[in-house]
Amino acid sequence: MKFRIVDSLKRVLKAGTIVGLCFLITKAATGSAGPAVPGRSVAAAHAAGMPHSDRRHMHMRNWALEPTGIPGVSPLDPITIPKFVNELSKPPVFVVDNNRGTAHYTVTYKKITQQLLPPGFPSTKVFAYGGQANFAESGHAPDIHTTFSTPGPTFEAVRGQHIRVHFVNQLDGSHIFPVDPTIMFANPNNQPAPAPPFTPFPPGYAFAQDPIPVVTHLHGGVTPSDSDGFVTAWFTKSELKKGSDFTSSTFEYFNAQLATTLWYHDHTLGMTRLTVAAGLAGAYLLRDRNDPIAPLLPAGRFEIPLLIQDRAFNDDGSIHFTQVGDNPDIHPYWDPEYFGDTIMVNGKVWPRLRVDRRQYRFRIINASNARFYNLKLSNGMSFTQIGGDGSYLPAPATLTEALIAPAERLDILIDFSNLRAGTKIILQNTANQPFPGGDPNDPDTTGQVMRFDVQDTSAVHPHALPARLIDIPTLVETEGIGNPKLFTLNEHESDAGEPLEVLIDGQRFHSPITEQPRVGTTEAWYFQNLTEDAHPVHIHLVEFQLEDRQDIDVDRFKAYWESLNGATLPLNHATMRANVEDAVVFPPGTPARDFLTGAPEPPSPAESGWKDTFVAPPGQVTRVRIRFAPQYTKEADLVPGFNPFPFDSTAGPGYVWHCHILDHEDNDMMRPMKMTPPESTTARLGRQPGTRAQGATSVPSGTTRQKEK
């Protein structure tokens, strides 16, 4: 691949009008961010000022100002909420139940009330994770007691140390948000979907609201599928009702991966947007006792997870969640994207953190349903990103802003040692919503995340970091397995032009499984985004590498794809896949040519580590390489068909991959994946484990995939 430095995520393409297959298309306007700015995250280079579609769903719907349906309860105007009054809380750390054998934890789901808004405002009913947790910093006397909160207590795990977590559901009564029974959902009472006219919420449909099913996913974890939080492995209170793939509420986490920032959250079929917004999320920090970088980094009270979410509130303190769908005569409550009008960090709305004059390490998790954040400091100072989803970056990246999509993580260092006491710095957000081509956020509300207040302490300057943090191998696509795998991202719209569901390959989640990788192989996956939104795509089980992105002629490719598959979504047949790289005679009578319109764009330095979630921008093909093996596996030790994981990855219900805009995931932008069982012998492969595959060659960075346009 011939790489060049670019401003990634740079195009927003309006949908063209397709008239049959004659391909008389009015080209939509495209926007360019211009050259990348030194010191900025390349992926965020044009997060502001993008042109955007006039279609309604590309705007932030102002549902937060709509009536609540509850007598005497009104939406809370975010301008009336004082900022930087809440003190940021660092979550406590879960402690084990036993000190013998495999470490065991007990984690309980429960409804509680918690003070999310500043003092003087009402408290808020939330769903919480809880259990025995230590509130003291490392090196201090333990302060252990039972606690419940959103976000939940943090897990601190050690690489290579296997743990078990027993989850207990004590969520009783009805769900606090509207469960839409017209989309795929857990349906614990096994009732048919209602027909219109639909009942408004409140009260909604009792059979969908009660009981409350849950199942936890360790996001980014390399985990057996029966412990991965498969969407149909849910269970209700006291396990009275269970999903079709439930086997146990005790999950095993092997922690057989590189040190990084993971997070855990609920993952129930068709209800993830509701349970995460209700509070079911928390940080999971995986450490390595032999990590040579860790001693150079801030630790203890100077290392803080920051779990960022957007919320809207009512004047009684309750969370205001969307209650009327974009297509209420079809899906009464489902809305394509939930955007709150306040920002919450670690369970506090617009908090402040009093910082010493020294360096801090922030483990940032975007736990919002749909909101992207382009983070920058109000005084313009730079910071250093050292890690992402699945590992350290290969080298520290000095940035002045950083884009983080839903589910992504940033491991950053901010040095306050050179600032004067009394300095106040706001962590700002400049990303449009929906990203990238939606409306700008409000600089007085969602444009502000939290504030750092520098205290009058002695300056402590940070350690210098090595130029190289970690070595990341170049993944080699396995020959003879049908690379590349081709996917399109589609949107099914109503007659009014509003989204009905968001799809992958035009298929719903329950369509027949199509992805069945063999363990020990490396696949190239291409994501061809025909929608107007950027989609953060998360693939379970594995950490992978982003290869590049490239602009495509969306209108022509969509017309060609529809000539193969039809324009009616969802498809009622297997998808006929198409590759934007292929030279095709389309429209008929024109010269054969591919669908690429620009040069390939390499990942930004901030995206150059191991990933489990990546952004697929609109109007582009995004290419990733996925090796179905642990990160630490040597290429020479891989044999296609032989299991390199410390567990049987082919057992259990399998895995899923999906858009991590939770409102999209819940309405069919998710597909199953089942690992192919290992070969019983090596004879048919003609080699033994530990020998290099015949014909396997790396792709040097100087080669090109397609001719640059």
Side-chain angles (χ1 to χ4, degrees):
M1 179 59 60
K2 186 176 182 180
F3 290 149
R4 63 184 179 90
I5 301 300
V6 296
D7 48 335
S8 186
L9 308 180
K10 69 179 181 178
R11 297 280 194 258
V12 175
L13 298 174
K14 291 183 181 179
T17 301
I18 301 172
V19 182
L21 296 179
C22 296
F23 200 66
L24 298 175
I25 295 172
T26 301
K27 204 74 165 173
T30 60
S32 175
V37 178
R40 295 179 62 179
S41 165
V42 178
H46 81 304
M50 292 291 298
H52 65 274
S53 170
D54 290 331
R55 287 173 49 189
R56 178 180 166 212
H57 80 274
M58 285 302 290
H59 296 272
M60 290 182 289
R61 183 177 166 211
N62 207 16
W63 58 263
L65 300 180
E66 295 174 357
T68 66
I70 306 171
V73 178
S74 300
L76 181 62
D77 186 345
I79 294 296
T80 66
I81 304 171
K83 297 181 181 67
F84 319 128
V85 175
N86 269 329
E87 298 287 347
L88 182 81
S89 299
K90 181 179 178 180
V93 176
F94 275 123
V95 297
V96 298
D97 299 337
N98 67 339
N99 293 316
R100 299 183 302 275
T102 301
H104 186 279
Y105 298 80
T106 299
V107 175
T108 301
Y109 311 82
K110 193 174 182 178
K111 281 182 182 177
I112 65 167
T113 57
Q114 182 172 323
Q115 193 66 45
L116 308 181
L117 293 163
F121 285 81
S123 59
T124 303
K125 182 182 288 185
V126 296
F127 293 176
Y129 285 110
Q132 288 284 298
N134 184 13
F135 284 76
E137 292 289 355
S138 176
H140 292 72
D143 177 18
I144 298 172
H145 52 270
T146 300
T147 185
F148 289 86
S149 63
T150 180
T154 299
F155 281 95
E156 292 213 4
V158 177
R159 179 182 176 184
Q161 292 191 3
H162 178 194
I163 68 172
R164 292 189 176 95
V165 182
H166 178 57
F167 290 98
V168 179
N169 186 352
Q170 290 186 358
L171 293 168
D172 53 12
S174 295
H175 207 294
I176 61 176
F177 298 145
V179 180
D180 195 323
T182 67
I183 64 175
M184 63 172 189
F185 84 111
N187 199 3
N189 291 310
N190 196 29
Q191 294 293 306
F198 296 112
T199 301
F201 185 91
Y205 292 90
F207 77 85
Q209 297 296 128
D210 183 9
I212 303 169
V214 289
V215 62
T216 292
H217 168 56
L218 176 57
H219 185 110
V222 180
T223 306
S225 73
D226 57 7
S227 294
D228 191 53
F230 196 79
V231 293
T232 52
W234 51 262
F235 55 99
T236 64
K237 184 180 179 181
S238 303
E239 300 184 13
L240 293 179
K241 296 185 177 183
K242 292 166 280 194
S244 58
D245 287 299
F246 175 88
T247 55
S248 173
S249 54
T250 299
F251 287 2
E252 296 190 76
Y253 301 139
F254 284 78
N255 298 313
Q257 57 193 110
L258 301 180
T260 194
T261 307
L262 307 175
W263 65 299
Y264 64 99
H265 62 83
D266 185 66
H267 208 255
T268 304
L269 180 72
M271 298 174 66
T272 303
R273 73 196 186 285
L274 307 176
T275 47
V276 173
L280 293 181
Y284 189 109
L285 306 182
L286 181 57
R287 305 189 186 280
D288 186 341
R289 288 179 174 167
N290 297 315
D291 182 355
I293 306 300
L296 305 176
L297 303 175
R301 69 184 184 91
F302 307 112
E303 179 190 24
I304 305 175
L306 299 180
L307 193 140
I308 304 176
Q309 299 170 296
D310 57 337
R311 294 288 180 271
F313 291 89
N314 298 316
D315 55 13
D316 67 347
S318 61
I319 297 173
H320 187 18
F321 198 85
T322 178
Q323 297 172 181
V324 180
D326 262 18
N327 296 281
D329 294 333
I330 300 172
H331 299 313
Y333 317 131
W334 178 80
D335 191 87
E337 290 104 2
Y338 173 82
F339 295 118
D341 53 17
T342 70
I343 306 298
M344 188 170 71
V345 185
N346 290 359
K348 299 287 186 181
V349 173
W350 285 311
R352 70 171 176 178
L353 176 65
R354 305 178 198 223
V355 296
D356 290 357
R357 297 178 62 221
R358 61 177 300 149
Q359 189 183 71
Y360 281 69
R361 181 183 187 184
F362 296 109
R363 317 286 285 265
I364 301 177
I365 301 166
N366 183 352
S368 298
N369 279 35
R371 185 177 292 278
F372 285 64
Y373 298 88
N374 189 46
L375 300 175
K376 59 190 302 184
L377 298 172
S378 59
N379 65 349
M381 67 184 281
S382 64
F383 51 87
T384 303
Q385 183 178 346
I386 59 170
D389 295 346
S391 68
Y392 289 120
L393 299 181
T398 300
L399 308 170
T400 56
E401 56 187 46
L403 182 75
I404 181 169
E408 287 188 307
R409 281 87 68 208
L410 298 174
D411 192 347
I412 69 169
L413 306 176
I414 302 180
D415 182 12
F416 302 100
S417 66
N418 295 315
L419 301 178
R420 291 182 298 177
T423 302
K424 294 176 171 53
I425 306 170
I426 297 173
L427 182 62
Q428 298 175 322
N429 167 37
T430 62
N432 294 339
Q433 306 305 324
F435 188 83
D439 297 333
N441 58 34
D442 184 341
D444 294 324
T445 57
T446 53
Q448 301 181 50
V449 177
M450 62 177 293
R451 192 177 76 190
F452 303 106
D453 291 1
V454 181
Q455 304 301 293
D456 188 7
T457 62
S458 299
V460 178
H461 297 291
H463 296 286
L465 294 176
R468 194 77 179 168
L469 299 177
I470 191 175
D471 291 321
I472 296 181
T474 298
L475 299 185
V476 180
E477 298 169 15
T478 304
E479 294 184 348
I481 61 171
N483 281 315
K485 315 298 183 184
L486 305 170
F487 307 101
T488 57
L489 308 182
N490 320 93
E491 191 170 273
H492 177 202
E493 296 179 347
S494 67
D495 292 340
E498 297 294 344
L500 290 173
E501 57 197 338
V502 197
L503 307 170
I504 298 170
D505 269 357
Q507 303 291 342
R508 287 176 164 159
F509 171 67
H510 286 106
S511 300
I513 188 169
T514 53
E515 275 52 70
Q516 301 181 71
R518 294 174 67 193
V519 291
T521 61
T522 299
E523 296 189 348
W525 286 23
Y526 290 8
F527 298 84
Q528 302 162 145
N529 188 355
L530 305 184
T531 78
E532 294 178 341
D533 291 328
H535 297 280
V537 179
H538 172 47
I539 304 172
H540 288 220
L541 174 63
V542 288
E543 298 285 342
F544 49 82
Q545 294 175 16
L546 176 62
E547 183 181 356
D548 62 32
R549 300 181 177 96
Q550 195 164 3
D551 288 344
I552 62 177
D553 184 338
V554 173
D555 298 321
R556 178 171 168 257
F557 185 69
K558 182 178 180 182
Y560 176 63
W561 189 89
E562 290 180 352
S563 75
L564 300 176
N565 291 285
T568 301
L569 297 176
L571 301 180
N572 61 3
H573 57 80
T575 306
M576 294 186 65
R577 291 171 167 172
N579 188 348
V580 293
E581 295 177 350
D582 290 343
V584 175
V585 176
F586 188 85
T590 62
R593 65 190 192 279
D594 61 36
F595 300 88
L596 303 169
T597 62
E601 307 169 356
S604 69
E607 300 175 296
S608 59
W610 289 100
K611 298 285 291 176
D612 57 57
T613 306
F614 67 91
V615 178
Q620 292 189 331
V621 54
T622 301
R623 304 178 179 100
V624 300
R625 291 193 183 111
I626 308 172
R627 188 175 70 175
F628 294 95
Q631 298 159 300
Y632 53 77
T633 310
K634 294 180 179 179
E635 196 75 15
D637 294 334
L638 285 176
V639 177
F642 286 84
N643 181 38
F645 293 99
F647 50 83
D648 185 357
S649 62
T650 68
Y655 300 89
V656 295
W657 58 283
H658 55 85
C659 175
H660 220 285
I661 294 176
L662 301 182
D663 316 275
H664 294 180
E665 169 189 343
D666 277 353
N667 197 4
D668 274 303
M669 201 170 195
M670 176 166 60
R671 293 290 292 140
M673 178 176 72
K674 183 74 173 176
M675 300 300 295
T676 302
E679 298 284 347
S680 58
T681 70
T682 62
R684 72 186 65 181
L685 298 175
R687 63 190 183 95
Q688 298 293 325
T691 63
R692 181 166 295 280
Q694 298 298 311
T697 58
S698 62
V699 181
S701 59
T703 63
T704 56
R705 180 184 304 278
Q706 288 287 308
K707 180 181 179 181
E708 294 185 4
K709 304 291 178 175

